[in-house]
Amino acid sequence: MVQSVAASQDPYFSELVQGYWRLVDWQMTPQQRLSFLKQHVDLGITTIDHADIYGDYECEQLFGEGLKLQPGMREQIQIVTKCNIKLCSGKFPHRKVNHYDTSAAHLLESVENSLARLGTDYIDVLLLHRPDALMDADEIAETFAKLHTSGKVLHFGVSNFSTSQFDLLQSRLDVPLVTNQVEINPLNISAAHDGTLDQLQMHRLRPMAWSCLAGGRLLSASDTQAQRIRNELILIQEEISAESLDQVIYAWVRRLPASPLVIIGSGKLDRLKAAVDSLKLELTREQWYRIWVASKGHDVP
Ligand code: NAP
């Protein structure tokens, strides 16, 4: 069972978050989607990560179909979803190029669509998915206030934001942003060095870490960097008696002092259980840096 963050913490996030980006690939029936949800909730993984665009705008809908079979499950979960990417898609034939839109009109419409697809009347945490060069922080702040007052969105955060973009938006908001969801894995350590994690630690906010396994590449890619990392992971797996390499990677991500919330990308229950079991693993500083060195291919300066 996942140990949760303090119940007083608002918003509540479970220590591990279930990502639903790949739901279309899992090819589940609505009943199987409900069973999967119930099984990961039983493991203590109650926070769910979505985005309007996942699965070419299908994932929220598929999830909602499962949830509808047992609406009472809604109270047991926290739904995080994202908006502001406009994808070229058969569903939007007039779009000529993928782009970002943080206008009030788009954010309001996007939230209505997510609520309808998910089959819920509120979103626990709404994230701006990507920073938008055309974003007007005052307009976003007004829109967030409307969404909050209407009860449609309880909390707001961002994803893939730089520290200055985070500060800009925060400077216009009456409520604190609750997270920055960023990529963190041994192939991409930039958040630990570009100020992103420092900023979150400073505000005592926990990042949500996406693609902790680099989309599975860390376990399968044959390039020299991935192989170097894997060789080190294998040694550390033995030292800490981990059952699998993914567990060592989750422990490596969680060792960061900003205490990232790991978002799991798998749709396989055994892999979710392995993630839960990894919560008891702890890396020493030296073990953490051995993976850093394997990633960079050189010593620390
Ligand atoms: P990931 O954990 O890096 O990759 C998951 C992939 O690795 C799955 O295809 C999984 O396949 C495969 N895999 C292979 N071996 C595995 C093992 N031992 N354990 C677990 N998975 C293994 O995560 P991700 O799917 O790329 O991202 C996780 C979540 O982050 C997404 O669902 C989404 O919610 C979020 N995300 C956010 C952003 C953003 O911009 N904010 C971007 C990307 C993702 P199986 O399914 O076969 O296990």
Side-chain angles (χ1 to χ4, degrees):
M1 181 76 163
V2 173
Q3 250 199 344
S4 312
V5 291
S8 61
Q9 198 165 333
D10 195 27
Y12 175 86
F13 290 112
S14 55
E15 207 53 51
L16 297 170
V17 173
Q18 181 59 43
Y20 272 91
W21 175 27
R22 301 175 191 272
L23 177 57
V24 171
D25 303 340
W26 300 341
Q27 308 235 327
M28 294 173 175
T29 63
Q31 188 59 53
Q32 286 169 330
R33 282 172 237 145
L34 174 65
S35 302
F36 180 69
L37 169 67
K38 288 166 72 174
Q39 283 167 324
H40 72 66
V41 166
D42 283 347
L43 288 173
I45 307 171
T46 58
T47 305
I48 278 145
D49 187 65
H50 271 287
D52 57 346
I53 58 166
Y54 284 173
D56 193 22
Y57 299 90
E58 295 287 333
C59 290
E60 288 182 329
Q61 178 79 31
L62 293 177
F63 179 86
E65 286 167 9
L67 185 59
K68 210 189 289 174
L69 299 176
Q70 196 169 320
M73 286 302 295
R74 176 65 185 98
E75 290 148 35
Q76 297 183 45
I77 60 176
Q78 304 80 42
I79 298 181
V80 178
T81 194
K82 318 183 197 74
C83 61
N84 94 343
I85 302 181
K86 282 184 161 174
L87 284 187
C88 290
S89 149
K91 297 181 178 73
F92 301 99
H94 56 283
R95 289 184 188 161
K96 297 188 169 47
V97 66
N98 293 343
H99 61 285
Y100 304 139
D101 187 347
T102 45
S103 66
H106 178 66
L107 297 186
L108 294 172
E109 185 189 2
S110 190
V111 166
E112 290 302 332
N113 289 338
S114 287
L115 291 173
R117 285 191 289 251
L118 291 161
T120 182
D121 51 9
Y122 69 97
I123 291 164
D124 293 87
V125 182
L126 180 73
L127 306 182
L128 295 181
H129 203 155
R130 291 266 170 191
D132 169 14
L134 303 181
M135 75 185 164
D136 175 337
D138 287 314
E139 186 177 0
I140 296 172
E142 267 178 47
T143 311
F144 280 6
K146 262 189 207 154
L147 288 168
H148 191 253
T149 307
S150 65
K152 290 177 180 170
V153 178
L154 306 188
H155 302 277
F156 301 90
V158 294
S159 180
N160 306 302
F161 268 42
S162 70
T163 54
S164 60
Q165 289 156 345
F166 187 103
D167 282 343
L168 166 63
L169 182 56
Q170 185 61 76
S171 73
R172 300 299 201 276
L173 297 177
D174 295 331
V175 290
L177 292 166
V178 298
T179 192
N180 190 0
Q181 184 179 122
V182 291
E183 181 175 6
I184 309 176
N185 59 60
L187 285 170
N188 183 353
I189 316 178
S190 53
H193 297 294
D194 64 9
T196 304
L197 298 187
D198 301 339
Q199 180 183 48
L200 293 166
Q201 193 182 167
M202 192 170 77
H203 291 295
R204 300 194 189 284
L205 294 176
R206 300 181 72 180
M208 299 178 77
W210 60 262
S211 289
C212 296
L213 309 178
R217 274 182 297 120
L218 269 171
L219 303 169
S220 59
S222 53
D223 60 280
T224 47
Q225 186 191 17
Q227 281 180 358
R228 262 198 327 264
I229 296 171
R230 246 186 345 261
N231 291 341
E232 206 57 50
L233 290 170
I234 289 167
L235 295 174
I236 295 172
Q237 177 187 352
E238 176 87 20
E239 290 164 18
I240 63 172
S241 305
E243 285 155 26
S244 51
L245 293 190
D246 48 323
Q247 290 189 325
V248 185
I249 300 167
Y250 295 141
W252 183 86
V253 170
R254 288 168 41 80
R255 181 65 182 78
L256 287 156
S259 283
L261 298 157
V262 164
I263 313 177
I264 304 165
S266 177
K268 298 191 171 118
L269 201 64
D270 284 354
R271 290 179 166 176
L272 272 58
K273 286 183 181 153
V276 172
D277 289 342
S278 77
L279 295 176
K280 60 180 187 297
L281 300 173
E282 266 186 44
L283 298 191
T284 64
R285 284 171 176 269
E286 190 175 23
Q287 285 165 333
W288 192 90
Y289 272 105
R290 279 163 56 194
I291 295 172
W292 187 97
V293 169
S295 171
K296 301 287 180 187
H298 58 72
D299 263 347
V300 293

